[in-house]
Amino acid sequence: MTIARFAATLLPLALAANLAMAQSAPMELKFSSAAPPTSPWANQINRNAAEVAAETKDAVKLVPYFNSQLGGENDVIAQISRGRIDMGSFTANSVALQVPEISLLNLPFFFESQVQRDCVLDKHALAPTAEALEKKGLHLVMWGEVGSIHLPGKKAYANPADVKGIKVGVVTNKMTTEFWQAMGANPVPTQVAEVSSSMQTGLIDTYPTPYAFYMPSGLNKIAPFMTKFPLWESVGATLINKGVYDKMAPDVRAAFDAGFAKNPSAKLRAEIRGVDAALTKAHIAAGGTVVEATPEQRAAWAKDLEPVWKTIAKDIGPAGEKYYAMMVAGKQACPAK
């Protein structure tokens, strides 16, 4: 055997050894979340981190940063899109800053039930949402769950007339802005990390939120009245930079996906909904006030909203109108119960 042929036989082995060596070092991914560290979302993220580490045999490790340590959701999503932060979990309203039509999933009073909404998410909205995010350099890992959205404050807001003229903290996008304007309220851009201070100083009067944030964040002490509706069931999403995801070796990527699959979206939803009921009782036990909106009051809020939904979708643009049509078709195909 010549030296050249001998060297040629060694080259593939050397390349394989180098590849194995490169993949033996764990990939540490910064995972951003606005969730308080004691919240159920933080528990879910920590559990997913453990599952990913186990499935990938520590080839991938998620390093969570809670309480918006890496920045507000709006800024962090842009950073993930650019590849400066690896991944995170976000509300659909924040994701909509990259793909505006996604905010339509949170149209107030659009879905008739949680069952119908979950069906539309999983069977109709998943593929078009993932496709739209890919164009922004983002890979949709899975749907998350933010929870049922209610209105906290220093008084109740059970009737539509109660919110006329008040200042509502929002993640700024066309959906949140146009809905609250249609209700006669004043939407005020508010980062999650600024909610409590903004409520204390009077910059906002309410911040539509689920119990899973209301209690762990301490907002219930500042705004002791909680008006329960829900206005909508807020969608969440776990995203990773597409370049980071694509860079994983195929077997590692499959294990990464398998780690998240250990706790599917249906399980996350059930957990957050259970927390909503438990924390309602805890809030009352701690001296807080819960005002349950009656069916008549909910109907008053929902009255004549369809033209508002269509206007919001149209104002987003052609992508918004197409996405809205998908949601309408999905709603018709999915049972309400």
Side-chain angles (χ1 to χ4, degrees):
M1 180 181 291
T2 67
I3 294 176
R5 289 180 61 190
F6 180 68
T9 62
L10 290 180
L11 182 58
L13 297 175
L15 289 174
N18 287 338
L19 180 61
M21 190 178 299
Q23 293 181 350
S24 66
M27 177 185 284
E28 291 195 351
L29 305 180
K30 289 184 177 180
F31 191 111
S32 180
S33 172
T38 57
S39 68
W41 299 303
N43 294 338
Q44 291 175 342
I45 291 167
N46 286 329
R47 188 176 61 205
N48 280 335
E51 297 286 8
V52 167
E55 288 294 321
T56 65
K57 297 181 172 54
D58 291 328
V60 179
K61 293 186 177 181
L62 309 188
V63 183
Y65 291 82
F66 298 115
N67 264 347
S68 301
Q69 292 180 65
L70 299 181
E73 283 197 338
N74 303 358
D75 298 327
V76 169
I77 289 177
Q79 297 294 326
I80 293 175
S81 178
R82 298 184 188 117
R84 295 175 182 172
I85 296 175
D86 302 306
M87 64 183 304
S89 287
F90 306 94
T91 63
N93 282 338
S94 292
V95 178
L97 294 171
Q98 295 296 314
V99 180
E101 60 267 29
I102 291 176
S103 65
L104 297 174
L105 293 172
N106 286 348
L107 283 174
F109 301 104
F110 178 82
F111 295 109
E112 297 171 29
S113 67
Q114 292 176 337
V115 171
Q116 185 183 72
R117 176 264 204 172
D118 296 351
C119 173
V120 171
L121 282 180
D122 296 339
K123 296 183 179 181
H124 299 270
L126 187 64
T129 301
E131 182 180 350
L133 287 166
E134 292 271 328
K135 295 175 182 176
K136 294 290 184 176
L138 298 164
H139 174 76
L140 176 61
V141 177
M142 66 185 303
W143 291 126
E145 184 64 25
V146 179
S148 300
I149 300 300
H150 311 298
L151 285 182
K154 296 178 182 177
K155 63 178 184 179
Y157 299 110
N159 300 296
D162 296 335
V163 299
K164 292 191 181 301
I166 72 167
K167 294 166 287 186
V168 182
V170 299
V171 175
T172 306
N173 58 51
K174 289 185 181 294
M175 191 286 286
T176 57
T177 299
E178 293 189 23
F179 169 71
W180 287 111
Q181 287 175 340
M183 300 307 297
N186 300 309
V188 178
T190 308
Q191 295 274 14
V192 175
E194 300 168 355
V195 170
S196 294
S197 61
S198 295
M199 191 80 79
Q200 281 180 316
T201 57
L203 289 176
I204 60 175
D205 298 303
T206 187
Y207 184 82
T209 194
Y211 264 99
F213 177 79
Y214 181 58
M215 299 286 282
S217 68
L219 183 59
N220 62 308
K221 297 175 183 176
I222 302 166
F225 284 79
M226 178 60 105
T227 308
K228 288 197 73 173
F229 290 96
L231 296 173
W232 64 85
E233 302 288 337
S234 187
V235 183
T238 296
L239 308 175
I240 185 171
N241 174 268
K242 186 177 183 300
V244 170
Y245 182 74
D246 291 345
K247 188 171 66 175
M248 296 180 193
D251 59 331
V252 174
R253 192 183 311 126
F256 174 88
D257 291 340
F260 278 97
K262 291 281 187 178
N263 297 285
S265 298
K267 181 178 180 179
L268 304 186
R269 291 168 187 152
E271 290 174 347
I272 296 299
R273 288 165 185 167
V275 165
D276 187 285
L279 291 184
T280 296
K281 295 178 181 178
H283 179 52
I284 294 171
T289 301
V290 174
V291 177
E292 295 268 2
T294 66
E296 294 75 19
Q297 288 169 329
R298 282 178 48 83
W301 276 82
K303 184 180 179 182
D304 300 327
L305 273 184
E306 186 170 354
V308 177
W309 300 333
K310 290 181 177 179
T311 297
I312 293 170
K314 184 177 181 180
D315 287 349
I316 288 173
E321 292 183 289
K322 182 179 179 181
Y323 202 87
Y324 178 73
M326 172 275 294
M327 288 172 55
V328 171
K331 182 178 174 181
Q332 293 170 346
C334 290
K337 296 182 180 179

